[in-house]
């Protein structure tokens, strides 16, 4: 996997922000996908949904370690909250039995609510933190809850030659 | 006709038999024996039996139709780091115990702990328990509790029916040839016949739940000598099985994702997304489609001047939507008709895919989505098929429809990489088509959709990420060499294009052959000797005796 050309630091004064990526729209129109980083699941606590907070080296130049870890920890907290077996899950379970599972048609379970919260959170993080740095987080549910996919974008305009070379290098892979 | 082979397919025989027996016997009991019981014994007893029967049916339906926790296949980019020289196993530590994650050649990821690949259904299932022929479904994380409760309640129900019948027969010993008594005797004998196996299976699963094991683990002897890292103690295990929140069905999410991806997301969408319909009623969908026809046509000609009328493929899309929805819950698309042609898709030709796309989009989305974006340029947004590969194979065959017209707007290097990428796709997994039109009548339980639709509602194809990835997907990842020959090292994975052969229905054949079949797919050097099969032999026999359950051991 080739490392992304470090045009960011060359281009801008700020170490981690790409000047051209002010928001997601700009990201969409002016950048191209360079790489994808996958954050794997952390199984040390069993099969609960939890992601590794280990900072991947590919993002070293793109984002601060603390920001990344905060995002992943927040996601882990959300998933832990969703999967918590406690008062509400008991109520939902009993209600489901009593109504012969018809209750699933009517109400939104707590897990569903937390999933919505997660989607909103990821969206917000993308808009505020990741898109300005040329990154994009994909909701893990779209990857089967197995990985968090972080797409790394390169600015298409300023890295014309480098993107050309990375095309040929990736097609040769 | 795609329906007929599937109806006669072997896979449906056990489940139809089970359902028929259950419903018929219980109905006969209620009609012929219960009136007497109400009068002569008490009204409470038959009503209890009635309630238990309702519970049995509810659990049976849930166990049959609920997605067991299927993992969608991994996107191609996910394993680009791990080429064919990567190891077959990856070790991970779970609560201090080393657990081996095996690379799944079909699904292209390392199987999470407790996940196993069901060869009957050809997908990986989370917390895989076994494949149950009596409900014709995998039993896994999401539906284990329904299966378990089904067994328990069925035992109770059979006991009740037998006792009720016994009371009747003991009171009418002289006229046993009379209709009511004869029917009661028949029902009694049916329940007596199946009582022992069902009771045995219930006890087996009671023990499994208490010990925190799956059937797969028990039967393959995974924790025989060692420690089970997944158990939390008896009480917590029971609590987990019965009361843990039901995780989302990711296959359904991928479905919606693919459906939504056809439509170019707009920034407006981020702020005011309408919720998805709670109940994908098939009639409703058809109406949506009809209503949206007018909305679609202005959009379509933007990209495709020679677009024919959308009327002809409409029925395809209807069937497609219905089937894809029902299949998304069950994901049993590959039974019996693997070699069936893609009936309608092949007829449509190059324009077929476009019609599919246009119709896929509205089929999955509220009407409110469509009319608001007439001005959207759909320029190069047509690579939605490629990233959608990570989703259920149901869509993989749709996505392989060529749509050369769409490539006009893309620059040449992209086009060439797309072409290169597409060729291996066509070779890859040829056998997963056909089942798409399998079960149109199976109007799935919408409860999964309800849960998912509400979670998807506020976050539509968000941030432009998907559209973006779609248009650039071929850019970074074009033309990988899929046809790498298998390495000579002993623990490497099979090449990516080792498409799984022979997924003929094996629900009635011994599972040992399935595991051997699966092993035969990989180069012989990559696998150790089939050790676990010998150890689970007697346990498997025991499982058979206990009611014909067929565990699906994954080695």
């Amino acid at each position: 996997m080739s490392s992304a050309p470090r045009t960011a630091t060359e281009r801008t004064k700020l170490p981690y922000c790409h000047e051209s990526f002010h928001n997601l729209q700009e990201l969409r129109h002016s950048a191209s996908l360079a790489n994808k980083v996958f954050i794997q699941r952390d199984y040390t606590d069993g099969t609960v949904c939890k992601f590794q907070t280990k900072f991947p080296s590919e993002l070293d130049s793109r984002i601060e370690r603390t920001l990344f870890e905060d995002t992943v920890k927040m996601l882990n907290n959300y998933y832990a909250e969703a999967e918590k077996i406690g008062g509400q899950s008991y109520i939902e379970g009993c209600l489901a039995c009593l109504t012969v599972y018809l209750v699933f048609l009517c109400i939104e379970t707590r897990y569903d609510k937390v999933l919505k919260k997660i989607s909103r959170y990821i969206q917000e993080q993308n808009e505020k933190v990741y898109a300005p740095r040329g990154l994009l987080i994909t909701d893990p549910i779209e990857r089967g809850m197995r990985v968090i996919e972080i797409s790394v974008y390169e600015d298409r305009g300023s890295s014309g030659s480098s993107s050309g070379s990375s095309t040929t290098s990736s097609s040769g892979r | 006709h795609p329906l007929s082979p599937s109806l006669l397919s072997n896979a449906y025989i056990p489940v139809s038999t089970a359902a028929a027996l259950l419903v018929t016997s219980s109905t006969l009991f209620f009609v012929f024996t219960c009136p007497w019981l109400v009068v002569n014994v008490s009204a409470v007893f038959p009503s209890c039996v009635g309630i238990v029967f309702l519970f049995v049916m509810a659990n049976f339906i849930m166990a049959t139709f609920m997605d067991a926790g299927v993992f969608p296949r991994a996107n191609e980019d996910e394993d680009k780091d791990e080429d064919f020289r990567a190891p077959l196993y990856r070790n991970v530590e779970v609560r201090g115990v080393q657990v081996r994650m095996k690379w799944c050649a079909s699904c292209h990821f390392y199987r999470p702990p407790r996940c196993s690949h069901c060869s009957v259904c050809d997908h990986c299932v989370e917390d895989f328990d076994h494949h149950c022929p009596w409900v014709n479904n995998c039993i896994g994380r999401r539906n284990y509790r329904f299966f378990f409760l089904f067994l328990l309640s069925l035992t109770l129900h059979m006991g009740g029916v037998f006792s009720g019948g016994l009371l009747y027969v003991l009171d009418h010993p002289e006229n046993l040839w009379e209709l009511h008594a004869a029917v009661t005797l028949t029902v009694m004998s049916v329940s007596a016949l199946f009582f022992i196996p069902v009771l045995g299976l219930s006890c087996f699963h009671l023990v499994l739940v208490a010990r925190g094991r799956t059937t797969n683990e028990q039967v393959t002897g995974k924790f025989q000598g060692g420690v089970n890292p997944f158990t939390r103690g008896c009480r917590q295990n029971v609590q987990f099985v019965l009361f843990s929140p039901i995780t989302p069905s990711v296959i359904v999410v991928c479905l919606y994702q693919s459906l939504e991806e056809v439509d170019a997301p707009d920034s407006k969408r981020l702020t005011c997304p309408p919720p998805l319909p709670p109940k994908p009623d098939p009639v409703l969908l058809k109406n949506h489609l009809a209503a949206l026809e007018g909305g679609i046509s202005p959009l379509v000609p933007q990209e495709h001047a020679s677009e024919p009328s959308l009327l002809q493929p409409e029925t395809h899309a209807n069937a497609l939507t219905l089937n894809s929805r029902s299949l998304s819950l069950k994901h049993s698309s590959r039974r019996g008709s693997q070699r069936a042609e893609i009936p309608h898709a092949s007829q449509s030709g190059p324009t077929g895919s476009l019609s599919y796309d246009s119709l896929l989009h509205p089929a999955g989305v509220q009407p409110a989505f469509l009319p608001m974006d007439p001005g959207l340029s759909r320029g190069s947004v047509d690579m939605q098929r490629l990233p959608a590969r990570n989703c259920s194979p149901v869509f993989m065959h749709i996505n392989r429809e060529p749509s050369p017209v769409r490539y006009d707007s893309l620059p040449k290097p992209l086009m060439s990489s797309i072409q290169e990428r597409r060729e291996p796709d066509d070779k890859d997994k040829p056998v997963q088509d056909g089942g798409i039109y399998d079960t149109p009548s199976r109007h799935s339980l919408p409860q999964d959709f309800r849960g998912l639709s509400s979670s998807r509602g506020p976050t539509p194809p968000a941030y432009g990420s998907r559209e973006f990835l779609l248009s650039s997907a071929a850019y970074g990842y074009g033309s990988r060499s899929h046809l790498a020959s298998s390495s000579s090292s002993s623990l490497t994975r099979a090449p990516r294009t080792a498409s799984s052969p022979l997924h003929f229905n094996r629900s009635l054949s011994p599972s040992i052959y399935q595991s051997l079949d699966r092993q035969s797919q990989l180069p012989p050097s990559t696998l150790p000797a089939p050790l676990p099969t010998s150890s689970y032999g007697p346990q498997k026999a025991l499982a058979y005796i206990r009611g014909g359950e067929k565990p699906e051991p994954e080695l």
Side-chain angles (χ1 to χ4, degrees):
Chain A
M1 176 202 63
S2 62
S3 61
R6 300 172 83 97
T7 54
T9 40
E10 291 161 31
R11 263 189 286 117
T12 71
K13 305 169 194 82
L14 302 167
Y16 291 117
C17 285
H18 295 230
E19 238 171 21
S20 52
F21 299 144
H22 292 304
N23 53 25
L24 292 167
Q25 248 96 344
E26 288 211 19
L27 188 71
R28 184 197 309 182
H29 293 301
S30 64
S32 58
L33 184 64
N35 193 8
K36 280 191 191 179
V37 181
F38 294 98
I39 313 298
Q40 299 290 335
R41 282 267 294 265
D42 177 13
Y43 293 110
T44 51
D45 284 336
T47 49
V48 287
C49 187
K50 200 174 160 196
F51 291 94
Q52 291 178 359
T53 50
K54 187 170 77 82
F55 188 67
S57 51
E58 297 91 343
L59 297 180
D60 211 5
S61 60
R62 306 298 293 242
I63 190 169
E64 292 90 340
R65 181 182 291 258
T66 47
L67 283 174
F68 169 81
E69 281 176 3
D70 285 344
T71 309
V72 180
K73 281 188 184 141
M74 196 64 190
L75 284 176
N76 287 341
N77 287 342
Y78 274 127
Y79 284 118
E81 181 198 333
E83 293 187 354
K84 193 164 81 86
I85 306 177
Q88 181 152 5
S89 65
Y90 272 106
I91 293 171
E92 282 172 2
C94 293
L95 204 60
C97 272
L98 289 175
T99 62
V100 190
Y101 307 118
L102 293 172
V103 73
F104 290 132
L105 298 172
C106 312
I107 68 162
E108 193 185 24
T109 65
R110 191 180 64 175
Y111 209 115
D112 299 328
K113 291 189 187 124
V114 175
L115 283 178
K116 276 159 77 167
K117 274 205 274 185
I118 288 172
S119 290
R120 275 197 298 264
Y121 175 73
I122 288 181
Q123 191 178 333
E124 176 214 329
Q125 285 285 297
N126 270 332
E127 279 170 6
K128 292 196 186 136
V129 177
Y130 288 84
R133 292 164 170 79
L135 302 170
L136 215 51
I137 299 183
T138 308
D139 197 333
I141 198 168
E142 295 167 21
R143 297 292 175 262
M145 306 268 268
R146 288 180 299 104
V147 288
I148 302 177
E149 180 184 302
I150 301 183
S151 313
V152 180
Y153 289 96
E154 270 306 310
D155 187 24
R156 204 187 277 152
S158 60
S159 58
S161 57
S162 55
S163 58
S165 61
S166 62
T167 315
T168 48
S169 64
S170 64
S171 54
R173 251 180 294 181
Chain B
H1 186 49
L3 259 176
S4 23
S6 63
L7 279 180
L8 303 171
S9 150
N10 283 344
Y12 293 101
I13 293 177
V15 63
S16 324
T17 315
L21 270 177
L22 183 58
V23 172
T24 316
S25 317
S26 305
T27 316
L28 290 175
F29 174 77
F30 289 122
V31 168
F32 289 97
T33 318
C34 277
W36 181 87
L37 282 172
V38 167
V39 172
N40 292 73
V41 177
S42 84
V44 174
F45 177 56
S47 41
C48 284
V49 177
I51 291 170
V52 172
F53 174 63
L54 204 60
F55 200 57
V56 169
M57 287 311 294
N59 284 308
F60 179 71
I61 288 169
M62 292 296 270
T64 306
F65 292 109
M66 192 151 195
D67 170 24
V70 173
F71 283 117
R73 277 164 162 74
N75 217 348
E76 267 209 344
D77 349 311
E78 218 181 294
D79 70 341
K80 70 171 176 54
D81 288 341
E82 303 164 302
D83 61 4
F84 58 88
R85 269 200 284 267
L88 186 59
Y89 292 102
R90 191 190 258 180
N91 281 325
V92 77
E93 192 174 293
V94 179
R95 297 214 186 108
V97 176
Q98 286 287 325
V99 171
R100 234 171 33 168
M101 301 203 301
K102 189 177 178 189
W103 172 260
C104 185
S106 317
C107 305
H108 306 297
F109 52 77
Y110 284 99
R111 291 183 196 136
R114 306 196 107 179
C115 163
S116 197
H117 190 93
C118 176
S119 60
V120 180
C121 308
D122 192 29
H123 50 220
C124 273
V125 175
E126 188 177 3
D127 289 6
F128 180 76
D129 195 79
H130 65 280
H131 181 93
C132 180
W134 305 108
V135 296
N136 195 27
N137 195 12
C138 289
I139 307 294
R141 178 167 182 172
R142 296 183 77 244
N143 62 355
Y144 182 75
R145 87 192 60 197
F146 305 116
F147 176 75
F148 180 61
L149 291 173
F150 168 63
L151 283 180
L152 293 182
S153 52
L154 185 62
T155 317
L156 208 61
H157 179 60
M158 286 167 122
V161 166
F162 188 82
S163 330
L166 192 64
L167 284 173
Y168 182 93
V169 163
L170 288 178
D171 205 65
H172 299 83
E174 64 283 356
N175 43 0
L176 285 176
W177 290 113
E178 181 246 340
L179 177 68
H180 284 243
V183 167
T184 308
L185 266 179
T186 317
V187 170
M188 271 177 68
S189 41
V190 165
S191 33
L193 181 68
F194 289 103
F195 185 73
I196 302 292
V198 171
L199 179 68
L201 199 56
S202 307
C203 294
F204 176 64
H205 278 277
L206 272 169
V207 169
L208 283 185
V209 168
R211 295 175 94 174
R213 295 185 187 185
T214 62
T215 308
N216 194 8
E217 289 161 352
Q218 176 70 28
V219 145
T220 53
K222 273 200 183 123
F223 307 124
Q224 239 171 9
V227 150
N228 180 2
F230 304 106
T231 182
R232 310 153 202 226
C234 179
R235 191 174 161 272
Q236 304 272 14
N237 292 337
V238 175
Q239 188 187 50
F240 179 77
V241 166
L242 295 180
F243 294 111
S244 64
I246 300 182
T247 53
S249 170
V250 287
I251 288 283
V252 174
V253 174
C254 279
L255 214 90
Y256 274 121
Q257 182 191 357
S258 318
L259 294 176
E260 287 171 356
E261 267 168 0
V262 182
D263 187 42
D266 183 37
S267 55
K268 295 195 204 86
R269 199 79 57 74
L270 290 171
T271 51
C272 57
L276 293 168
K279 267 175 100 152
D281 179 37
V283 175
L284 200 63
L285 285 171
K286 283 190 185 143
N287 293 338
H288 276 322
L289 273 172
L292 292 169
E293 284 283 300
I296 298 170
S297 7
L299 279 177
V300 166
Q302 274 181 355
E303 28 183 335
H304 192 32
S306 60
E307 167 58 22
S309 79
L310 295 171
L311 291 175
Q312 182 242 345
E314 180 193 344
T315 50
H316 306 174
N318 283 347
L320 183 69
T321 329
L322 292 177
N323 294 318
S324 55
R325 284 181 191 280
S326 56
L327 284 169
S328 69
L329 277 191
K330 259 272 327 262
H331 210 65
S332 62
S333 53
R334 251 149 268 97
R335 223 69 49 73
S337 45
Q338 278 99 30
R339 287 177 210 86
E341 294 300 313
I342 310 166
H344 307 284
S346 47
Q347 294 163 13
S348 311
T351 57
S353 59
L354 180 59
S355 338
Y356 270 126
D357 294 338
S358 326
L359 292 170
L360 277 180
H361 146 56
V365 174
Q366 271 282 11
F369 268 129
L370 244 199
M372 64 187 171
D373 302 320
L376 271 185
S377 81
R378 287 218 194 186
S380 60
V381 189
D382 305 325
M383 303 310 299
Q384 68 273 15
R385 291 190 233 310
L386 297 174
R389 282 167 47 90
N390 65 314
C391 298
S392 104
V394 161
F395 274 86
M396 286 175 75
H397 92 268
I398 302 165
N399 295 336
R400 279 189 285 109
E401 288 305 300
S403 53
V405 184
R406 291 168 170 257
Y407 294 170
D408 287 348
S409 51
L410 294 170
K412 288 259 179 325
L414 283 179
M415 277 175 66
S416 55
S417 51
I418 292 160
Q419 296 297 343
E420 284 170 313
R421 199 164 178 225
R422 195 163 279 291
E423 282 151 37
D425 292 352
D426 292 334
K427 289 187 204 113
D428 216 353
K429 302 188 193 350
V431 294
Q432 278 152 20
D433 327 323
I436 182 91
Y437 296 109
D438 232 0
T439 54
S441 61
R442 219 184 269 220
H443 300 320
S444 47
L445 274 180
Q447 65 96 30
D448 273 342
F449 289 112
R450 183 63 189 92
L452 253 308
S453 60
S454 44
S455 66
R456 293 286 293 168
T459 56
Y463 349 113
S465 63
R466 233 156 284 136
E467 173 205 17
F468 209 141
L469 290 178
L470 307 181
S471 55
S472 331
Y475 171 75
Y477 302 101
S479 72
R480 300 178 54 218
S481 164
H482 298 285
L483 304 173
S485 56
S486 65
S487 153
S488 57
S489 93
S490 57
L491 281 177
T492 58
R493 308 193 308 238
R496 234 188 122 88
T497 49
S499 56
S500 33
L502 299 185
H503 283 292
F504 56 87
N505 168 46
R506 282 176 267 176
S507 58
L508 304 177
S509 64
S511 50
I512 186 167
Y513 293 115
Q514 297 160 17
S515 34
L516 288 177
D517 273 339
R518 213 174 312 123
Q519 287 175 13
S520 68
Q521 295 172 23
L522 304 172
S525 61
T526 64
L527 284 174
L531 285 171
T533 58
S534 53
S535 71
Y536 79 79
Q539 289 145 313
K540 189 168 66 67
L542 221 50
Y544 270 113
I545 293 168
R546 285 198 178 121
E549 277 304 343
K550 220 179 33 57
E552 257 308 304
E554 176 53 39
L555 304 178

